[in-house]
Amino acid sequence: MIQTVPTAALVGLEACAITVEVSIRRGTPMIQIVGLAPAAVAACRERFRAAAAQLDLHVPGLRITVNLAPADVRKDGAAYDLPISVGILAASGQLPRARSLRYAMVGELGLDGTVRGVRGSLPIALHCRSRPGLAGLIVPFDNLGETLPIEDFPVFGARTLAGVLQFLRGQGDLPRTTDTACASRGATRGRSTLPPGPDDTPDLAEVRGQEGVIRALEVAAAGGHNILLRGTPGSGKTMLARRLPTILPELTLSEAVEATVIRSVAGQLPPGEGLFLRSPFRAPHHSISEAGLIGGGNPPRPGEVSLAHHGVLFLDELPEFRARCLEALRQPLEEGSISLVRARAAVRYPARFMLVAAMNPCPCGLLTDGTGRCTCDPARVRGYLSRISGPLLDRIDMHVDVPGIRWRELREERSGPESSGVRLRVREARDRARRRLPGWPGGGAMNSRLSPRMLREHCSLDTEGESVISAAAERLRLSARACHRALRVARTIADLAGSERVLSEHVAEAVQYRALDRRSWGNASADHAVNPRPAAEV
């Protein structure tokens, strides 16, 4: 007779049904694992033997064959240790066979019998909820907090293999997501359980000067627009960018589930943590590989663009990133997702993020400081700027110059607005966008995602507004994509002002954020290298 135990495998961000089949028969004593199982899965037999010895369990001295079906789905990691162990014990008569069929389970087995955390418990729980015939799911206790969104399906947390065996024998209980044992770990429903990090402490009130840049960040946050900050070293580009998360509203429930699923699959959820309710902020170093940025590997895993889903991807020193990495951003910036096709797998990861980039105006960074200290010749400046392609710049909605701040301005008592006040205005602007687009999936309507048809419907301009955008398109030689992005920014500015219509002053402000497009500042930068002028005249 064959004993089966249900479990699941990760394919991209989703889970698919896997059945552990165990057969015990006469033959050479051994445990053989088949069904497209790599070395990490096949090593389960040694972990099971060691754990069984610690718990005084009987391992049959017969030929044990374990099949992970279907055999054409690749199984990676050690998440199958627990179902394989339960299957062997049930097939040998040490567990109730019928009860072992009713519970799906995942978990890595330690040599002492402990059950360790695995990746992807939340998507596995979402899958098992819709799988007929299951009475519940058993996951490692460290992963129990992330399954909090599953309210209508029992999810149990296992600390040890012995506890699982007692539960399946009806001799004990396992903690569930609703138990105080789980709540004591901080995994309470409806709030972020992540500990305070460095992104919680900064505030825009600490910024001196830079009122124009703060205004641009507010507009970008309200509409989810991509933004490029260009300025001399020490002007505050990185400081301002790292304070952007403090003015972003908390994620909605559906957005929080998506963000948590991505981190669960990537293995970046701390043990015992629950929903990820804060907007993600990712700041990879410029030495990152293409696979690290957009995802990949064997097996494929989400990259930084997916980990920044519903949040911010900050690329400091933008021209220093590899050209292949920057060009790989085109698809996620345009479509909000990334498709990875490999020989054995094709996966699609969501990647709807705000791109915030920072760069210097030239290799030495002093081109626009107004002092004439820049030593870069025009050819070197053009080569530096050419590292960022025109198509990538076209996909960045706002280009903002960050002026240098003098020491006496830093010593002034006057400070920037508090992040809490800006966040309130951002939330109100986003609420206006949601009311205007009530059918948007997940309630995540933002102006940066408006299609051309929606632009015609919700961003209609009067004669004066049309003349402003037409003149800007001609003077700055803006592409059709750049003009559409300027209109989306104008729609956001109107929302911040509480206006139902997009007026000419909203369009004029939006056009100002395109004035640093490379087609307009490439030649000007070369001219700076020869005839430096004060930054205010640029």
Side-chain angles (χ1 to χ4, degrees), residues 323-352:
R324 286 178 58 88
C325 292
L326 295 180
E327 296 310 306
L329 292 174
R330 293 192 196 180
Q331 180 190 357
L333 285 176
E334 197 70 25
E335 301 178 7
S337 62
I338 188 74
S339 298
L340 301 176
V341 180
R342 301 293 184 264
R344 290 183 175 269
V347 296
R348 189 177 186 87
Y349 294 129
R352 182 72 67 181

Side-chain angles (χ1 to χ4, degrees), residues 2-6 19-22 83 86-87 90-91 97 100-102:
I2 296 177
Q3 174 67 36
T4 61
V5 177
T19 301
V20 176
E21 301 175 336
V22 180
V86 169
R97 300 175 65 94
S100 302
L101 287 169
R102 299 177 55 207

Side-chain angles (χ1 to χ4, degrees), residues 469-484:
I469 190 68
S470 298
E474 181 67 24
R475 186 176 70 255
L476 300 177
R477 291 171 287 173
L478 300 180
S479 67
R481 181 193 289 118
C483 290
H484 282 165

Side-chain angles (χ1 to χ4, degrees), residues 53-133:
Q54 290 289 327
L55 302 176
D56 293 327
L57 299 173
H58 172 64
V59 180
L62 300 170
R63 186 178 183 89
I64 303 174
T65 302
V66 179
N67 180 42
L68 305 179
D72 60 343
V73 176
R74 182 180 174 87
K75 296 86 180 176
D76 293 287
Y80 308 98
D81 289 4
L82 184 59
I84 289 175
S85 302
V86 169
I88 294 175
L89 295 174
S92 61
Q94 302 178 63
L95 286 176
R97 300 175 65 94
R99 189 170 172 85
S100 302
L101 287 169
R102 299 177 55 207
Y103 293 92
M105 57 191 73
V106 292
E108 177 183 345
L109 202 60
L111 298 184
D112 58 351
T114 58
V115 179
R116 297 171 178 166
V118 296
R119 297 185 300 110
S121 291
L122 179 54
I124 289 174
L126 292 170
H127 162 77
C128 290
R129 181 177 60 178
S130 60
R131 192 168 167 180

Side-chain angles (χ1 to χ4, degrees), residues 147-184:
T147 63
L148 283 172
I150 314 300
E151 299 179 346
D152 52 353
F153 182 73
V155 182
F156 304 88
R159 291 186 176 92
T160 64
L161 176 60
V164 175
L165 301 183
Q166 290 179 356
F167 173 75
L168 294 177
R169 290 169 180 154
Q171 301 172 353
D173 292 326
L174 293 175
R176 297 176 57 172
T177 52
T178 55
D179 292 343
T180 55
C182 179
S184 67

